[in-house]
Amino acid sequence: MVSTTSSDSGIYVRDTVETAAKLLVVGPFGVGKTTLIGAVSEIEPLRTEEVMTQAGALVDDLKGIEDKRTTTVAMDFGRLTLAPDLVLYLFGAPGQQRFMRVAPVWRQLTEGAYGALVLADTRRLEASFDAMETVEKHGLPYAVALNSFPDAPRFPEEELREALDLSPETPLVSCDARDRASAARALIALVKHVHTHYREHLQ
């Protein structure tokens, strides 16, 4: 389903595209949002990363990601053509709690969005709660993707769904944000869920 032809690396959207969907990639600080968008984007991704300062380290939770040196301060942006007639515009939101609590930032990012991929890390699942709550507050359907860090523990799906308090219809998948095919599969799971969600709500 994911196109890998050389034309995908061009600047322009294909003439065959009939549907464009805006999707958010959200999650806690340091969970891999910038990495995922960079892995799947067929254009040079827009990044707004800055070197972390000592002042930021005092307010941002670095537990489990002590080696992180840069952070997204505005958003990431990328594009992925899923099918000849479907293109995704991916917007990555900052993961720090102080940015999630800034209402205008999230209002602008969620405007026109069809859904969100919430990235999570099994080493610190609780860090994903703020992003999930914010997405739910804005009424967006979402899927959860567990980013596969080398030292991340593995748990049965039932335990993970219970810990994240997921509804039965919310997709829960695993992915490697560094790998294009793996990251694309997570986005495909989201697209299918979003399609089903809006089809059911239009009936």
Side-chain angles (χ1 to χ4, degrees):
M1 190 173 185
V2 180
S3 176
T4 57
T5 61
S6 60
S7 62
D8 285 345
S9 61
I11 297 174
Y12 303 106
V13 175
R14 294 180 183 182
D15 293 337
T16 57
V17 169
E18 298 177 358
T19 304
K22 176 183 179 180
L23 299 177
L24 304 185
V25 179
V26 304
F29 183 54
V31 78
K33 300 179 296 295
T34 299
T35 300
L36 184 142
I37 291 176
V40 300
S41 182
E42 63 200 23
I43 59 173
E44 184 68 27
L46 168 67
R47 295 188 174 101
T48 57
E49 283 198 309
E50 297 291 344
V51 175
M52 291 176 58
T53 64
Q54 186 174 3
L58 295 175
V59 294
D60 295 326
D61 185 5
L62 299 180
K63 183 180 179 182
I65 50 171
E66 291 83 1
D67 294 334
K68 187 169 176 59
R69 294 292 177 264
T70 62
T71 183
T72 298
V73 295
M75 68 174 189
D76 298 309
F77 173 77
R79 189 186 80 202
L80 173 63
T81 300
L82 272 188
D85 60 344
L86 174 62
V87 65
L88 305 181
Y89 293 107
L90 307 173
F91 290 78
Q96 297 95 316
Q97 291 181 348
R98 54 195 165 104
F99 290 130
M100 285 188 220
R101 294 178 181 133
V102 180
V105 172
W106 271 87
R107 275 202 302 269
Q108 292 168 4
L109 284 174
T110 58
E111 184 175 355
Y114 282 89
L117 183 69
V118 180
L119 278 182
D121 179 351
T122 59
R123 299 172 301 179
R124 48 192 186 103
L125 281 178
E126 69 285 350
S128 300
F129 294 164
D130 280 345
M132 292 170 60
E133 181 181 351
T134 304
V135 167
E136 290 173 353
K137 184 168 65 176
H138 285 84
L140 292 178
Y142 65 92
V144 176
L146 302 170
N147 194 4
S148 302
F149 291 94
D151 58 342
R154 303 289 188 267
F155 300 101
E157 180 176 341
E158 297 77 13
E159 292 184 16
L160 290 167
R161 298 189 73 90
E162 182 177 356
L164 293 167
D165 193 25
L166 297 181
S167 61
E169 65 272 13
T170 301
L172 176 64
V173 299
S174 296
C175 77
D176 183 340
R178 302 166 299 180
D179 181 77
R180 185 176 192 266
S182 179
R185 284 193 294 271
L187 289 167
I188 290 170
L190 171 62
V191 169
K192 290 180 177 178
H193 175 57
V194 168
H195 177 71
T196 301
H197 172 85
Y198 286 112
R199 184 178 59 191
E200 291 176 349
H201 281 72
L202 288 174
Q203 291 178 351

